[in-house]
Amino acid sequence: MVSENTVYSALDWAAGKVRGIGDVPLSAPTPCAEWDLGQVLNHMINTLDLVARGLAGEQVDPASLDPQATAATPISGTPEAAFAAAAARARVVFADPGIWDRRFTGAFSADSARDIAGVAVGDVTGHGWDIARATGQDATIPEPLVDEAYACARGFLRPEARGVLFGPEVQLGPDATKTQQLMAFLGRQP
């Protein structure tokens, strides 16, 4: 079950990958075949920000959460600063012990914060891996984060999302690492 610590671990790991971009151009290709580096960053940061705002009680238009919309909406400032701001907002929200089993309406209708956190962990971890791969960084997701992100992904990735938001699961051999298994489940070719 996703926890505050899982969210924080995912945010910390992804923040390191965003800081490590260096001078790689935002037009660089990523393992997320439809999006370049800038679009992956836009999507990850905008989605995290919208989730934190929605859980904090702000009205979030469900259409603004569409992955194509979040990828197309430019972030404000540098990727590092924009991610840090969204992550700080998320940390405040998930630090509230009363939020975890609360159910939401609007853009997050009928979802609990725990469910939403699971999706956020999967999104931040998966796209952190995309960023690492696109920029030549070590893309190994540390334990126990990789185990927790995999459990989250198994909880939210439904078969009907394959081919729309996620590619088909990639089949791997028995020697695949946990990071490779997670990313293959998310439809990436590790």
Side-chain angles (χ1 to χ4, degrees):
M1 183 179 301
V2 68
S3 69
E4 178 181 347
N5 288 337
T6 304
V7 173
Y8 292 174
S9 292
L11 294 175
D12 291 344
W13 186 78
K17 300 310 165 189
V18 172
R19 281 192 303 274
I21 290 172
D23 59 358
V24 175
L26 296 181
S27 60
T30 70
C32 190
E34 295 180 14
W35 294 338
D36 63 23
L37 180 59
Q39 291 166 314
V40 167
L41 286 160
N42 290 345
H43 165 73
M44 181 178 71
I45 294 166
N46 287 327
T47 300
L48 180 61
D49 188 60
L50 288 166
V51 163
R53 289 176 185 278
L55 294 182
E58 292 183 33
Q59 291 294 342
V60 173
D61 178 6
S64 67
L65 289 165
D66 175 77
Q68 297 304 327
T70 57
T73 303
I75 57 170
S76 178
T78 67
E80 186 175 349
F83 185 82
R89 186 173 289 114
R91 285 177 186 277
V92 168
V93 169
F94 288 114
D96 176 1
I99 200 167
W100 284 97
D101 293 311
R102 194 178 312 156
R103 296 201 81 69
F104 292 86
T105 58
F108 305 108
S109 187
D111 288 331
S112 72
R114 200 167 301 282
D115 296 335
I116 297 163
V119 174
V121 165
D123 193 68
V124 167
T125 304
H127 291 306
W129 182 87
D130 289 331
I131 293 165
R133 291 285 302 268
T135 59
Q137 299 177 64
D138 179 6
T140 304
I141 303 167
E143 289 188 48
L145 176 58
V146 69
D147 296 325
E148 294 164 346
Y150 200 3
C152 291
R154 287 197 174 280
F156 73 76
L157 204 166
R158 304 282 182 249
E160 59 271 14
R162 298 240 183 237
V164 179
L165 299 175
F166 296 89
E169 184 173 359
V170 175
Q171 299 305 309
L172 300 176
D175 295 336
T177 67
K178 289 182 178 187
T179 295
Q180 291 169 331
Q181 291 170 21
L182 168 62
M183 298 316 297
F185 181 75
L186 294 175
R188 301 290 198 281
Q189 184 64 51

